[in-house]
Amino acid sequence: MEEEEKGGGEVVEILIETVNKIASISDYRCTVKKQYCNLARRLKLLIPMLEEIRDSKDSIIPQQTLKALVLLKQALDSAKDLLIFGCEGSKIYLVLEREQIMNKYHEVTAKLEQALTGISYEGLDISDEVKEQVELVLAQFRRAKGRVDATDVELYEDLLSLYNKTNDSASDLAVLRRISEKLQLMGIADLTQESLALHEMVGATGGDPGESIEKMSMLLKKIKDFVQTENPNLDAPEREKNLPPSGSGQAIVDGSRQMPVIPDDFRCPISLELMKDPVIVSTGQTYERSCIEKWLGAGHDTCPKTQQKLTSTALTPNYVLRSLIAQWCEANGIEPPKRPSSSGTSKTVSTCSPAELTKIKILLQKLKSGCVEDQRSAAGEIRLLAKHNADNRVAIAQAGAIPLLVGLLSTPDPCIQEHAITALLNLSICEDNKGNIVSAGAVPGIVHVLKKGSMEARENAAATLFSLSVVDENKVTIGFLGAIPPLVTLLSEGTQRGKKDAATALFNLCIYQGNKGKAVRAGVVPTLMCLLTETGGGMVDEALAILAILASHPEGKATIGAAEAVPVLVEVIRNGSPRNRENAAAVLVHLCSGDQKHMVEAQEHGVMGPLVDLAQNGTDRGKRKAQQLLERISRFVEQQNHSQAQTEAHIQQPQPSSMANFGDS
């Protein structure tokens, strides 16, 4: 009975902790705000009951009630995950998948009702007032179970109609305006947060987003284009003009050329400088890492911009914004700001309970045991613990798991190897862990798995390399240690998911100039050309993105040109998606730079008409690339015509006759 009492005490402590975490969640997405606020409010009302159970020293929790409390813990965990997604998840997803979201909501409320019904007050020292409060909560769950709240049908239908239309029209503007207003996607910060939410969902799928998330990404792109078109000064408000230029990304002032205005959302709200390492705080605002760390280090516990109290001091890297800043710098001829070394940044602290930390330590002992069965089960559990919970990722790494998992990458047991590489992948989501994984000598082991592991292990090894290569210095290490050739092999022979994992890793690695030649020499260009022309075309986006980044390298340009890419690129510019047309034009710009053969070939395949259309209707970058090509080809045609005219004029001039000379002799 003492063990029951002890176990019950631990369960109750965990229940209180979980409800407190739920209470700290706020600012739910507008489409689920009413239901989720009601759910969170009802759950907060359980705190008095749980505290009275915890504080009662004389009562022993009956077995039946203990089982109900365990069920309540499981239901609360599900409710917490649901509410977190309602606060941080994709706004577009919450509308498009409304049936799935509401089914999950009703499933959670049914679990909560079942668990609360199983709690018997006999043997528990619970006050009548608290009993009445819990009965009220239970009655509310029962009423909510069968209720279906009205959803915004117009918003759902607007999103579907927008997705199904391939050509923009004037009537779409009203639809886009309604969508952006209702979803509160009216500014760059809102759009960036939505991009990040979709990015997190892709990460949770292991890099295979599926059709639904790809649909949402396309919808977000349309909304973003609309918002930026409607608000041309969104990135450069009036007050921006009076600010001094940022020292981080200064362009050379040459004659009339002015320093481009830095978009407001690319500046840190604290320093007003172009951000090098943007991070997100718990309120959703983004700051330069060093600035917000100084703010927190000074003892502040609020968001500098909104003055809201921070529910956590955790800092989440804003990869989407960092990429947008890099693209903006490239487009404006500015050297991208170099991200400071992560060695000086403060470490994230785990808030795992003592019971959870004890469990992690036991699992690590099993990893060390040398018993294959223990290692297999422990590695599998660590893999699952690190999958969704950020606190677990920190705690597992701090407990010393990373070197042990790295050591298991070379094990002959395929199941242990698969668990180990996937656990490292999940741990690498935490920014602090990326450097620790590389420092522990993981890259050679990951490359070994990439070459020799099962297909799932190889896919997860590729995804791990992509995750680690987000840190710029890791790109150099990973390329140097031989990861690129096996990634190219996986790109050729993997499953669809494996190919996507390999492609994302290769793209990220090839951002570093020194890796481009390695990829070309590993045979990536012929593989990419096959992916461009294969039936189904499931890898066209990825193939073109990599070709666009390789075409700027001399070896890459020569190899792409030799692979007879021009006809394929012209066809993409003619019929591809907006982003693919943009990348195809970017590749062709490099091929036609100083190479008349490719310009002639592009003309012969009818590139001029599609280029004119792209210059008028493409993405911003697509328009620039199309204009560059049109100007280059036009100059070439003018030179050809001028040369031909000179030749013809030379032929038509009277020439001295040899016969006349003969007659005069």
Side-chain angles (χ1 to χ4, degrees):
M1 294 296 291
E2 288 178 3
E3 284 300 309
E4 282 182 15
E5 186 177 0
K6 181 182 176 183
E10 283 187 3
V11 170
V12 173
E13 284 289 356
I14 292 171
L15 288 172
I16 293 172
E17 183 183 345
T18 304
V19 176
N20 283 328
K21 285 182 179 178
I22 288 171
S24 70
I25 303 168
S26 62
D27 197 22
Y28 297 107
R29 304 305 196 204
C30 56
T31 51
V32 294
K33 192 178 186 78
K34 180 181 176 183
Q35 299 96 317
Y36 284 29
C37 282
N38 285 338
L39 176 58
R41 176 176 49 77
R42 290 166 189 155
L43 294 178
K44 291 176 197 175
L45 295 174
L46 299 178
I47 285 285
M49 176 190 73
L50 296 171
E51 288 179 342
E52 287 196 2
I53 295 175
R54 179 194 63 190
D55 297 339
S56 176
K57 303 298 182 184
D58 301 327
S59 302
I60 296 175
I61 301 175
Q63 188 66 28
Q64 178 187 350
T65 299
L66 183 56
K67 288 180 180 176
L69 290 175
V70 171
L71 285 176
L72 181 59
K73 177 187 176 302
Q74 295 169 356
L76 284 173
D77 285 339
S78 298
K80 183 181 70 172
D81 291 342
L82 181 75
L83 293 170
I84 288 173
F85 191 82
C87 176
E88 301 174 358
S90 161
K91 296 176 181 179
I92 297 174
Y93 179 89
L94 287 167
V95 176
L96 287 183
E97 301 297 328
R98 56 184 185 163
E99 289 187 15
Q100 183 181 336
I101 294 294
M102 288 313 300
N103 288 340
K104 182 68 177 173
Y105 175 82
H106 290 310
E107 179 187 319
V108 166
T109 54
K111 283 183 180 178
L112 290 164
E113 182 210 346
Q114 180 186 358
L116 289 173
T117 303
I119 296 175
S120 171
Y121 300 122
E122 293 182 14
L124 297 176
D125 186 15
I126 304 294
S127 65
D128 291 340
E129 181 185 354
V130 169
K131 287 179 187 176
E132 290 174 4
Q133 187 165 298
V134 175
E135 288 298 329
L136 175 63
V137 172
L138 187 53
Q140 289 174 337
F141 279 136
R142 285 172 180 153
R143 284 199 301 271
K145 186 170 62 172
R147 185 188 305 146
V148 178
D149 288 287
T151 55
D152 191 332
V153 176
E154 183 184 50
L155 180 57
Y156 176 76
E157 291 179 348
D158 278 347
L159 282 170
L160 285 186
S161 70
L162 186 63
Y163 174 71
N164 292 325
K165 287 182 181 177
T166 54
N167 296 318
D168 294 334
S169 64
S171 62
D172 290 339
L173 294 178
V175 173
L176 282 161
R177 188 172 290 107
R178 278 200 304 271
I179 291 171
S180 58
E181 288 174 355
K182 286 186 177 181
L183 291 180
Q184 296 173 3
L185 294 173
M186 299 296 292
I188 291 298
D190 300 327
L191 294 163
T192 301
Q193 288 300 309
E194 181 68 10
S195 296
L196 187 63
L198 289 175
H199 178 76
E200 288 289 329
M201 291 177 70
V202 173
T205 65
D208 185 9
E211 183 180 350
S212 63
I213 296 179
E214 289 177 358
K215 177 195 294 186
M216 293 171 216
S217 297
M218 188 274 282
L219 286 168
L220 179 59
K221 176 67 170 62
K222 286 192 174 186
I223 295 168
K224 182 179 177 183
D225 289 346
F226 164 76
V227 170
Q228 291 182 322
T229 302
E230 286 280 290
N231 303 281
N233 296 321
L234 187 67
D235 288 355
E238 190 65 31
R239 70 179 186 84
E240 189 73 39
K241 297 173 184 176
N242 299 320
L243 293 174
S246 166
S248 305
Q250 249 175 339
I252 297 171
V253 178
D254 181 14
S256 61
R257 186 181 174 193
Q258 298 290 323
M259 166 68 192
V261 176
I262 299 172
D264 192 46
D265 286 287
F266 291 176
R267 290 184 186 270
C268 172
I270 298 173
S271 69
L272 298 180
E273 295 287 328
L274 186 69
M275 286 186 275
K276 306 178 183 71
D277 189 10
V279 293
I280 305 167
V281 298
S282 61
T283 60
Q285 298 296 325
T286 296
Y287 299 93
E288 173 62 36
R289 183 188 290 275
S290 60
C291 295
I292 192 64
E293 282 178 346
K294 286 178 184 176
W295 171 267
L296 296 172
H300 300 290
D301 62 353
T302 57
C303 172
K305 192 170 183 180
T306 66
Q307 297 304 309
Q308 289 177 268
K309 189 174 179 63
L310 296 171
T311 58
S312 166
T313 57
L315 304 176
T316 304
N318 194 333
Y319 297 129
V320 175
L321 185 58
R322 191 190 302 169
S323 174
L324 290 173
I325 291 172
Q327 290 176 25
W328 179 84
C329 289
E330 180 188 357
N332 287 280
I334 298 172
E335 183 179 352
K338 288 188 169 51
R339 185 167 162 262
S341 172
S342 59
S343 58
T345 60
S346 62
K347 297 295 180 183
T348 307
V349 178
S350 168
T351 58
C352 284
S353 67
E356 290 168 324
L357 293 174
T358 300
K359 179 181 180 180
I360 290 169
K361 288 177 183 176
I362 292 170
L363 291 173
L364 296 197
Q365 289 300 322
K366 288 185 178 181
L367 287 185
K368 298 176 186 176
S369 68
C371 171
V372 172
E373 290 297 327
D374 282 351
Q375 288 178 332
R376 188 181 297 136
S377 65
E381 283 198 62
I382 289 172
R383 166 184 180 174
L384 292 175
L385 282 173
K387 185 173 183 181
H388 295 300
N389 189 299
D391 286 334
N392 286 347
R393 293 180 198 121
V394 176
I396 290 167
Q398 290 177 347
I402 289 174
L404 299 175
L405 292 168
V406 169
L408 294 177
L409 294 177
S410 57
T411 179
D413 186 292
C415 186
I416 294 176
Q417 187 183 70
E418 190 177 300
H419 286 328
I421 189 63
T422 310
L424 287 171
L425 168 60
N426 295 336
L427 289 174
S428 73
I429 296 170
C430 172
E431 180 80 356
D432 289 340
N433 290 343
K434 295 183 193 295
N436 294 333
I437 291 170
V438 174
S439 299
V443 175
I446 297 170
V447 172
H448 170 75
V449 175
L450 191 59
K451 292 177 179 177
K452 305 290 185 182
S454 66
M455 182 52 72
E456 183 172 350
R458 291 171 68 193
E459 291 169 352
N460 288 341
T464 306
L465 291 175
F466 165 69
S467 177
L468 296 177
S469 64
V470 166
V471 179
D472 290 338
E473 51 264 38
N474 290 348
K475 292 179 174 66
V476 182
T477 304
I478 293 167
F480 177 75
L481 291 173
I484 289 175
L487 282 171
V488 173
T489 302
L490 183 62
L491 184 65
S492 173
E493 63 186 32
T495 63
Q496 187 71 2
R497 180 194 155 196
K499 289 178 179 179
K500 286 184 180 289
D501 286 330
T504 52
L506 283 166
F507 176 85
N508 222 32
L509 289 170
C510 288
I511 292 172
Y512 170 58
Q513 187 75 3
N515 286 333
K516 294 178 182 179
K518 291 184 177 72
V520 172
R521 291 188 289 275
V524 73
V525 171
T527 302
L528 293 172
M529 292 306 301
C530 288
L531 294 175
L532 272 181
T533 56
E534 70 180 0
T535 306
M539 291 290 295
V540 172
D541 296 5
E542 293 84 355
L544 280 168
I546 298 172
L547 285 172
I549 210 168
L550 292 177
S552 63
H553 189 274
E555 285 183 73
K557 174 182 172 181
T559 308
I560 294 168
E564 300 181 353
V566 172
V568 180
L569 296 171
V570 171
E571 183 59 28
V572 173
I573 294 172
R574 181 180 290 115
N575 295 316
S577 68
R579 181 48 56 88
N580 288 343
R581 295 176 75 197
E582 168 192 315
N583 280 327
V587 177
L588 206 51
V589 165
H590 286 293
L591 292 184
C592 293
S593 176
D595 196 320
Q596 296 180 356
K597 172 192 167 187
H598 294 312
M599 274 194 276
V600 171
E601 190 179 4
Q603 280 183 283
E604 289 174 349
H605 285 87
V607 77
M608 297 302 285
L611 280 180
V612 170
D613 179 68
L614 182 60
Q616 293 172 345
N617 303 310
T619 63
D620 289 344
R621 179 168 173 256
K623 289 176 181 177
R624 289 198 307 273
K625 297 299 179 185
Q627 196 60 45
Q628 287 175 18
L629 272 172
L630 286 170
E631 290 172 0
R632 193 164 290 171
I633 293 173
S634 296
R635 282 199 303 269
F636 171 69
V637 170
E638 285 176 11
Q639 289 169 359
Q640 292 292 97
N641 291 340
H642 182 66
S643 298
Q644 185 176 353
Q646 283 186 323
T647 302
E648 289 174 354
H650 181 71
I651 292 172
Q652 291 171 3
Q653 283 179 354
Q655 299 295 324
S657 172
S658 56
M659 290 298 291
N661 292 337
F662 177 77
D664 289 340
S665 59

